[in-house]
Amino acid sequence: MKLSLSACVKGLSKEVCKQMADIYRCDADPDSLIDTILQNLKSGEFIQRAHPWELTLMQFLSFHWGDRVIPEERLSELLPLSPSCCRVAIVLLRRKGLLFRLRQHRLGWMYWCPRDVRRSFLQSRVQLPPLPEERRVEASQRFRGLWDPLFHFAVLLEDEGLNLTREGTVPRREERKLDAELELEEKWLTHSQWGEGVGSPAIRLVSDFLQALDILKKEGRQWKIQREPFRRWLQKPWPDRIAELFRLTEELLLKDRPAWDGLWWWMERHLTDWVSAKEICLGWLSEIGGVPRPGFVKEVVERWLHPLAVMGWVEARAGTEGEQWRWTSWIQPGDEVPVMNGYVKPDLEVLLPPFPPLTHRFLLAQFADYMGGETLLSYVLNPKSVRRGAERGLSAERMLDTLREISGGPVPDPVTENIRLWAKENRPLLRKGWVLQFPVDGSGKEEMGEVHSGLEPLSEGVFFLPEALVSSVRKQLAEEGRPPLELEEIHWWSSLPDTPSPEKAKELEAATVESRFPSLEEAIPGFNKLPKVWISGLRSYHPGTLRNLLRQATDMKLDLLIRSGENPPVRFTPLKMFQKEGYWHVTGRDGDGCSRRYTLEDFREVQILTPWQEGL
């Protein structure tokens, strides 16, 4: 996981924060410093005051490089700056808290420009059209979101998990069953990252998300549901859950196409109303000065828009110039999701609205079978499903309470009668204290008294159970297919949160921020040890001295000011020096980035330029 600006700044020492705060003339408190940095970017003040080199670097990171770390050597190769100018630009951005040096496990030291920094820069750099006064004429027509397949997949695996093959894939038979249960349009996932490799694209998608949420974990050759993260997820308010899944969608899509980070930012602001993919893509390329390449629009549709539609984040419709897209209305910040009651039908069908409390839906899934649905979700009650709920410790009254919470009213009499009948079939009741109570019409109550002589009869079908016998009685009843109910037990899905979310801890473990305020001089290590005469001005040199100067400049990738013949001085960056046919040759780039080649005799006058003195 890559770090936010907040995590990066809070990984710095107080002294480094103070030195950064001095640049912005603000308080050194981390929260105040973070707000000032982002506001400085959004207001355009950074663009107005930035040195051309750091502006070039910032534009490259935001427009072209995107959501990934980068080694310094790669920056020098990709930027239209000389290596020394590039290193100075790096130091300038680091001093302003816009670029950080991180140590990542297995990767070593890398540079990272936080996403919120890049997005704030884009906000000031790219002029967006004003939003229309009425952004949305009609509401979204679909309500099934990513949480539906995630929830259903977790419920299916929660009890016993899923055994994988030796290759770590889902067995073909189980894969077919799960595909049918998930009801995802796999044809729109075929050309996405989830359609690559072996296995069902739908299962790969839901497993990726659930693993990212820490709900699904691979243990050996089995997938297991982690109950604590699952419980936290079930208990989240809908706006928090939707926002979390939307940002996670962004994370996973950018993992596949990190250079499209700016495009995602662009889409977030343009898909507020119907628009074609071509218009989106060409608009973004125009902003960054990119040239449309064949297949780019098709790639964006297949890699991003189709999966986003499968997850319910966008809607599609046929337009005059092809397919058009827009975000669904309920993902917009500040929009409230519709709150509606469900409906319990006398024929034992339960209909859920689009955004039910997931804790209610989870309880319902324990004693009702999911039948699918696009707008309303359908569950059906039957003897097998109700007995399943009873085996998981839900009494008939708890099931009925759940149905009342879902519908907001009384449960139809036929449903009440059937649930009570199916839930108590041949089921003894184990009450803490300890008291073992059999149903009046239940069988086996006499046998229990005979088998366990330590049971003390209290009344018809009721026994006092000594503590020493609890485990053996529980085991015997379970082996007979009648596991006892323990009504006072607090089930894992209903307990209150008692541990903080591990997300923050994971973020801090992902990378270490170098807590040091860099000086401009260290952009060119060893520069201060060079002879001062080489730096002080243009002059001619003895061939041996000139050769030594050029070799040092080449090794350190320094910029030179050179005069060749009677021509005016030009900027030149030597990159390679070699001897051929008795002559010394130097190749490199001029100030415009064009390749140049000189012999030693071409250098009439030379000066090594001091990067941090050039307009800084």
Side-chain angles (χ1 to χ4, degrees), residues 213-215 226-237 241 244 359 492-493 495-503:
L213 291 167
D214 206 32
I215 293 173
Q226 307 300 298
R227 287 178 168 177
E228 179 65 18
F230 190 27
R231 177 181 58 75
R232 275 198 298 266
W233 189 70
L234 292 174
Q235 295 175 350
K236 279 181 180 287
R241 184 183 296 112
E244 177 185 46
T359 49
W492 65 266
W493 57 76
S495 58
L496 295 175
D498 51 7
T499 56
S501 170
E503 295 172 0

Side-chain angles (χ1 to χ4, degrees), residues 15 108 111 118 150 232 319 386 435 459 470 519 524 548 571:
E15 180 59 31
Y111 288 110
R118 285 180 273 116
L150 296 185
R232 275 198 298 266
V386 172
V435 173
S459 63
V470 172
S519 66
I524 315 294
N548 188 25
R571 192 184 190 99

Side-chain angles (χ1 to χ4, degrees), residues 65-101:
W65 189 251
D67 205 55
R68 47 188 165 169
V69 294
I70 183 169
E72 181 179 348
E73 296 74 20
R74 289 285 289 148
L75 276 176
S76 298
E77 295 171 5
L78 297 169
L79 279 179
L81 294 174
S82 69
S84 61
C85 295
C86 179
R87 282 179 279 173
V88 171
I90 289 171
V91 171
L92 290 172
L93 292 187
R94 287 180 64 194
R95 289 162 67 93
K96 292 181 179 178
L98 307 180
L99 188 68
F100 295 85
R101 193 167 185 246

Side-chain angles (χ1 to χ4, degrees), residues 74 111 132 272 298 333 390 497 512 531 575 594:
R74 289 285 289 148
Y111 288 110
T272 52
K298 182 173 183 288
T512 302
L575 299 176
C594 299

Side-chain angles (χ1 to χ4, degrees), residues 503-515:
E503 295 172 0
K504 190 66 177 177
K506 281 187 174 182
E507 184 178 84
L508 293 176
E509 290 174 1
T512 302
V513 181
E514 183 180 47
S515 182

